[in-house]
Amino acid sequence: MLKILLNTVLRSLYRQKAYSLMNIFGLATGVTCTLLILIWVEYETGFDKFNEDIDQVYSVFENQNYADGDVFSVYSTPGPLAESIKKSFPEIKYSTRMVTTWGQLALSVNGKSFVEDGGKIVDEDFFNIFTFPIVKGDRDKPFKEENSIVLTEKIAQKMFGDSNPIGRVVEINSKYNYQVSAVIQNPPANSSIVFDFILPFQFFEKLWAYDLNDWEANTFHTFIKTEKKHSSVDLSAQLRPYIKDRIPHSNVELDLQAFERYHLYAINTNKIGPIWYVRVFLLVAVLILLIACFNYMNLATARSARRAKEVAIRKVVGAQRRGLISLFLGESIFFTLIALGIAVVLVELFLPVFSDLTDRNLSLGINNIKFLFSVSAMVLLTGIISGSYPALFLSSFLPIQVIRGVSRKDSALLRKVLVLIQFTMSIALFICSGIIYQQLEFLQESDVGYNTNDLVYIEMVEDFNSIYPKLKSELVKIPGVYWVTAANQMPVNFTNSTWDVNWPGKTENSEDILFQLSFVDYDFIETFEMNVIQGRGFSKFHGEDSLKFIINETAAEKMNMVQTIGEALQIWGYSGEVIGIVKDFNFSSLQVGVEPLIMMRNPTAFKYIGIRIGDDVEPILNKVRKVWDLMVPNVPFTYRFLEEDFKYFYTAESRMSKIFVSFTLIAFVISCLGLFGLVSFITERKSREMALRKVFGANMDTVFQLLLKEFFKWVMLSNAVAWVISFFVMEWWLKGFAYRIDIGIGIFILSGFVSLLITFVTVYQQIWKLALKAPAHVLKYE
């Protein structure tokens, strides 16, 4: 049987080279795209799986319930929560708090400084919950002493070179001495928790004088690891009222998220989590593979007339239909295996480009048994789907019908339906790609309420207040530096919030409104070029402006104040007055709307310096660097552009758009192969008719118009179906954005024009090719 199969495949390849190559190329292209997507999906779904007993690890998060019915879900939890729930619930074996170091830390070794912002502050149970192997030092007790620091291999190499760092002293901010107690493996690239060094929680209390027993201050991530036998549903139910039991007026309910879902699933139902993109691209992979399979079916059934005599002869000499079906399915699977071999080569060639596109370190995963099994199943399924109908159709021929010249008529309809489905899928992908691109452009070009251009910021280290006033006075002297200000956070990373806000006339409907809170310096409004629509901004010409507040339009609307300017406002028990209203500006992704914001002066909380500079960026920054090095010699000068950080909000959408466009083009190429095969087959069957028409003086334009009219009808039907599908899918996707485009008709018209143009060129090329043939050459055997 294998010998017969090989002979049949080789004969088919030799006799019908063009069709065979189109079949193999179409399948190889589809398999290549599918493999690339599967590699990426395998990477994304493999996040954090290196952790042992990951099914026992959970992240504790808060659901904050507000009067307007909104539920705000955050990972931030109170300081005493981790230890308290560990004592309260026997099923919780380990618990830890985790927080990223606030701002940059200057780590010094032998007088050489390294400014780092990749530190985590954790409890010791952290090492029992997560699997980050210790390669040097005490594996059982990484935090030997209160002043211990754990380094990753990367930062240890950077700071100490090849020498053993264990026991060496690291000076932090030229003030605290910490001893290296352990070196840990670098966190894997597919880890949700990434760090360069780890410090114990005593450091947090020491450096920032934070009250870790405050149940109302939500600052830390809390992770737990449970005993093996437990019900997470029951534990979640018991945890839910835990905060309210301690703070009766609280609007917070606790919940658990399995750490397996931490990377892919958003706890906030209003946000689109990464799992959405995984599902979308899995769907794209399936569509492209189906397009390739349909292309194979189309080309295989188009050759039915040529293979009819082969089937008839095989049946005459005793072949059974079951054997013929097996033969044609085997041929299809064999073609798919050839396509797989080509696809593997193509994947290796394009994987570096695809890795850059997805910003992931991807590999083919030949050593991954699960992945190899998935690929094997995909190839087998592709071969069966591709060859199923051709095998059933070809094996159904009756020898007597073939000898009489009676052909099966249903295959022509099937081929048109297959081309219809191919073009429907391709056009839908085209429209979706266009709308995603338009939405991304809209987000990036939208007015966010302040000017992000030519605005750089510097993250300060400790002793900010002793350095900043003099530093600011020197910076503003530099030509090209227009404004200098300070704040506890930049508009791209607002994270402070509170509901402890009171004002005259506050009603029950206004209870539990979450206000974002930002501490800013003089000239903040001017530096960011925001628009004050009532009152004024903070100004040193009006004194310290302490306990004075500036609010945004949304906050004024939520407070429903009759006369806003001069109104009393109370935050955390401190009373002040509103001095200005700033026009709403976005301080997070445009996926979400503007939240109520209160700004006030609090120099002790400042952490960033913002600088508005001119167009001549590099020379100005070199002068800023000189001032910095002179005044802050122990801390290397590092800065960031706010515009680049703002674009980071849309990294996922940008990657999605590029990948979508790439795969859409590929889907169109495969669909064009199917159309090309169908047109070729029809023109070949009509070759004698056309030759006779030419003999009698007929014009080829008539034949061209007839064929074009027939194909245009099917392509327009494909467009109609694709338009409906893509419209509803994109409307659903756009609902995830507070700011969005309206879907216009332009992209639909463009898709119709492109598909009709491709059809026109394909039909014209084949008719023109046939028109060049002499009638005598076509009719010489008649």
Side-chain angles (χ1 to χ4, degrees):
M1 183 66 184
L2 183 59
K3 183 179 179 181
I4 296 173
L5 173 62
L6 287 174
N7 286 335
T8 303
V9 171
L10 293 175
R11 190 182 299 116
S12 178
L13 283 170
Y14 178 76
R15 289 181 176 177
Q16 302 184 44
K17 301 180 184 67
Y19 281 103
S20 298
L21 288 175
M22 279 193 289
N23 264 332
I24 293 171
F25 177 74
L27 284 173
T29 305
V31 173
T32 300
C33 295
T34 305
L35 279 177
L36 287 172
I37 292 175
L38 286 179
I39 291 169
W40 176 76
V41 169
E42 175 73 16
Y43 186 92
E44 292 296 317
T45 55
F47 254 74
D48 302 311
K49 295 295 175 64
F50 62 89
N51 289 287
E52 297 175 3
D53 304 323
I54 190 172
D55 58 324
Q56 298 168 226
V57 180
Y58 298 89
S59 173
V60 183
F61 67 93
E62 290 188 355
N63 288 318
Q64 300 173 1
N65 301 281
Y66 294 98
D68 56 3
D70 286 345
V71 178
F72 186 58
S73 300
V74 292
Y75 285 112
S76 300
T77 53
L81 179 67
E83 186 63 25
S84 180
I85 60 176
K86 181 181 175 181
K87 292 177 179 177
S88 300
F89 300 98
E91 54 264 59
I92 297 178
K93 189 175 182 180
Y94 302 111
S95 66
T96 184
R97 296 163 293 184
M98 185 185 76
V99 65
T100 302
T101 51
W102 289 358
Q104 294 180 328
L105 298 180
L107 308 183
S108 302
V109 177
N110 297 329
K112 187 176 180 180
S113 293
F114 306 86
V115 175
E116 303 292 340
D117 57 3
K120 299 290 185 187
I121 300 175
V122 302
D123 294 306
E124 196 159 20
D125 270 356
F126 175 86
F127 300 98
N128 296 317
I129 295 175
F130 301 106
T131 308
F132 296 110
I134 294 172
V135 294
K136 293 179 182 177
D138 194 334
R139 290 172 173 79
D140 297 323
K141 196 170 179 61
F143 291 149
K144 281 186 177 181
E145 306 291 341
E146 184 179 312
N147 64 335
S148 296
I149 184 172
V150 176
L151 306 178
T152 61
E153 292 176 297
K154 182 182 76 172
I155 201 71
Q157 177 68 30
K158 179 180 177 181
M159 296 175 68
F160 297 100
D162 295 329
S163 61
N164 187 1
I166 302 302
R168 301 282 294 275
V169 174
V170 176
E171 191 178 44
I172 301 178
N173 289 355
S174 303
K175 194 171 184 179
Y176 308 102
N177 291 328
Y178 274 71
Q179 192 175 58
V180 179
S181 58
V183 175
I184 207 168
Q185 276 187 10
N186 296 325
N190 60 345
S191 173
S192 297
I193 299 175
V194 182
F195 52 85
D196 290 323
F197 60 91
I198 301 176
L199 290 162
F201 243 91
Q202 290 84 350
F203 178 81
F204 195 88
E205 296 177 277
K206 186 183 299 183
L207 187 62
W208 290 294
Y210 190 91
D211 183 7
L212 293 177
N213 295 313
D214 187 352
W215 280 95
E216 296 193 74
N218 299 314
T219 306
F220 311 105
H221 275 46
T222 299
F223 297 98
I224 63 171
K225 186 173 185 178
T226 61
E227 298 286 355
K228 288 186 177 180
K229 295 180 179 180
H230 78 284
S231 169
S232 60
V233 176
D234 291 342
L235 184 57
S236 295
Q238 294 176 62
L239 275 173
R240 195 164 290 122
Y242 200 81
I243 300 293
K244 286 185 176 180
D245 290 345
R246 283 145 187 81
I247 310 171
H249 64 272
S250 175
N251 67 339
V252 171
E253 292 181 342
L254 295 180
D255 207 343
L256 295 178
Q257 181 189 39
F259 193 64
E260 295 171 296
R261 299 168 63 89
Y262 188 80
H263 171 67
L264 291 176
Y265 294 84
I267 54 172
N268 193 331
T269 55
N270 294 327
K271 291 186 178 180
I272 297 175
I275 189 62
W276 190 86
Y277 298 108
V278 170
R279 289 168 178 166
V280 165
F281 284 114
L282 273 176
L283 178 60
V284 170
V286 171
L287 291 178
I288 290 178
L289 198 58
L290 283 176
I291 289 173
C293 291
F294 292 162
N295 183 66
Y296 182 94
M297 289 183 189
N298 193 19
L299 293 174
T301 53
R303 292 182 300 158
S304 60
R306 292 191 174 189
R307 303 201 70 174
K309 292 179 181 179
E310 174 193 343
V311 173
I313 292 171
R314 287 183 183 275
K315 284 192 173 184
V316 167
V317 297
Q320 299 296 316
R321 188 179 185 193
R322 182 184 302 174
L324 289 172
I325 291 174
S326 300
L327 180 66
F328 290 127
L329 278 177
E331 181 181 327
S332 172
I333 293 172
F334 192 85
F335 272 112
T336 308
L337 289 173
I338 296 174
L340 175 63
I342 298 172
V344 169
V345 175
L346 292 175
V347 166
E348 286 290 353
L349 289 174
F350 290 110
L351 199 56
V353 178
F354 190 65
S355 296
D356 291 339
L357 194 63
T358 58
D359 194 29
R360 294 286 189 256
N361 185 21
L362 303 175
S363 61
L364 188 54
I366 296 176
N367 298 324
N368 189 329
I369 302 299
K370 180 183 174 183
F371 181 76
L372 289 177
F373 178 79
S374 301
V375 171
S376 302
M378 178 195 72
V379 170
L380 182 62
L381 188 62
T382 301
I384 293 173
I385 292 174
S386 301
S388 58
Y389 185 81
L392 292 170
F393 178 70
L394 292 172
S395 65
S396 67
F397 287 146
L398 298 176
I400 190 66
Q401 289 181 335
V402 174
I403 293 169
R404 289 178 178 175
V406 179
S407 61
R408 296 285 297 273
K409 298 297 184 183
D410 58 337
S411 62
L413 177 63
L414 173 73
R415 287 192 298 275
K416 292 174 183 176
V417 170
L418 291 177
V419 171
L420 170 69
I421 295 173
Q422 284 179 299
F423 263 89
T424 299
M425 293 177 180
S426 302
I427 293 165
L429 286 174
F430 179 88
I431 294 170
C432 291
S433 297
I435 294 173
I436 290 170
Y437 178 80
Q438 290 175 3
Q439 174 66 11
L440 184 62
E441 286 291 300
F442 172 77
L443 293 176
Q444 293 180 338
E445 295 177 4
S446 293
D447 181 12
V448 295
Y450 59 92
N451 186 3
T452 61
N453 298 323
D454 301 325
L455 205 154
V456 299
Y457 67 93
I458 306 167
E459 190 171 357
M460 291 291 291
V461 295
E462 201 183 359
D463 298 328
F464 183 100
N465 292 318
S466 62
I467 301 170
Y468 170 65
K470 189 175 181 182
L471 181 62
K472 178 177 179 178
S473 66
E474 293 298 320
L475 290 175
V476 294
K477 295 177 184 177
I478 298 174
V481 172
Y482 301 136
W483 295 98
V484 178
T485 190
N488 70 319
Q489 52 195 351
M490 288 291 104
V492 291
N493 60 5
F494 277 12
T495 56
N496 289 0
S497 58
T498 182
W499 57 79
D500 189 8
V501 178
N502 292 288
W503 61 92
K506 183 177 181 179
T507 64
E508 289 186 6
N509 292 331
S510 301
E511 291 292 335
D512 298 331
I513 295 175
L514 186 68
F515 290 85
Q516 293 292 323
L517 190 63
S518 184
F519 303 113
V520 303
D521 192 24
Y522 304 123
D523 306 323
F524 183 86
I525 303 294
E526 293 78 4
T527 302
F528 286 85
E529 297 182 7
M530 295 174 179
N531 185 14
V532 177
I533 57 177
Q534 284 188 39
R536 64 174 178 87
F538 296 118
S539 172
K540 58 186 178 182
F541 299 109
H542 291 82
E544 287 295 317
D545 265 347
S546 58
L547 292 179
K548 301 290 173 59
F549 304 107
I550 298 174
I551 62 177
N552 67 353
E553 292 176 289
T554 300
E557 181 183 343
K558 292 285 185 182
M559 294 178 187
N560 198 26
M561 292 181 173
V562 178
Q563 175 61 43
T564 307
I565 304 303
E567 283 279 7
L569 204 62
Q570 190 179 72
I571 300 177
W572 299 333
Y574 297 99
S575 298
E577 65 173 316
V578 177
I579 61 170
I581 301 177
V582 66
K583 184 177 176 60
D584 278 343
F585 63 91
N586 292 93
F587 38 85
S588 61
S589 165
L590 293 180
Q591 278 187 311
V592 296
V594 177
E595 298 171 357
L597 171 71
I598 300 173
M599 294 185 285
M600 60 184 295
R601 286 201 73 245
N602 182 5
T604 62
F606 293 162
K607 196 167 64 175
Y608 297 94
I609 296 177
I611 308 173
R612 168 73 61 187
I613 61 176
D615 296 332
D616 202 8
V617 176
E618 286 301 321
I620 297 172
L621 287 178
N622 287 334
K623 293 175 183 177
V624 172
R625 185 191 303 274
K626 289 180 181 178
V627 172
W628 178 274
D629 291 342
L630 184 66
M631 301 191 66
V632 196
N634 296 326
V635 180
F637 176 69
T638 59
Y639 62 89
R640 297 180 67 90
F641 284 95
L642 194 69
E643 184 179 17
E644 293 177 0
D645 281 5
F646 192 81
K647 288 180 179 179
Y648 181 77
F649 280 140
Y650 312 109
T651 301
E653 285 79 10
S654 179
R655 290 177 191 152
M656 182 182 177
S657 175
K658 292 175 183 176
I659 297 171
F660 238 105
V661 169
S662 302
F663 288 133
T664 298
L665 292 175
I666 292 168
F668 257 113
V669 169
I670 300 174
S671 297
C672 289
L673 285 177
L675 179 64
F676 178 81
L678 181 57
V679 175
S680 298
F681 174 74
I682 292 175
T683 53
E684 184 177 339
R685 295 192 68 178
K686 289 180 177 289
S687 59
R688 284 174 292 181
E689 175 193 336
M690 294 178 186
L692 286 171
R693 286 176 180 270
K694 288 180 70 176
V695 169
F696 289 102
N699 194 320
M700 294 300 290
D701 290 346
T702 304
V703 180
F704 173 66
Q705 290 171 9
L706 288 172
L707 280 176
L708 199 62
K709 182 180 178 181
E710 182 178 359
F711 279 106
F712 269 21
K713 177 179 65 178
W714 287 92
V715 172
M716 287 307 298
L717 181 58
S718 296
N719 272 278
V721 176
W723 290 0
V724 174
I725 294 172
S726 54
F727 177 81
F728 284 107
V729 169
M730 285 292 97
E731 273 292 325
W732 173 82
W733 180 70
L734 288 170
K735 285 181 181 178
F737 296 85
Y739 302 89
R740 49 157 290 183
I741 61 170
D742 292 324
I743 299 178
I745 197 172
I747 188 65
F748 298 97
I749 294 174
L750 180 61
S751 71
F753 174 77
V754 170
S755 57
L756 290 175
L757 179 63
I758 290 172
T759 305
F760 177 87
V761 171
T762 304
V763 174
Y764 181 81
Q765 187 267 344
Q766 290 296 310
I767 294 293
W768 179 76
K769 181 180 176 182
L770 188 62
L772 293 178
K773 289 184 179 180
H777 179 74
V778 177
L779 300 171
K780 64 183 178 179
Y781 295 111
E782 297 300 319

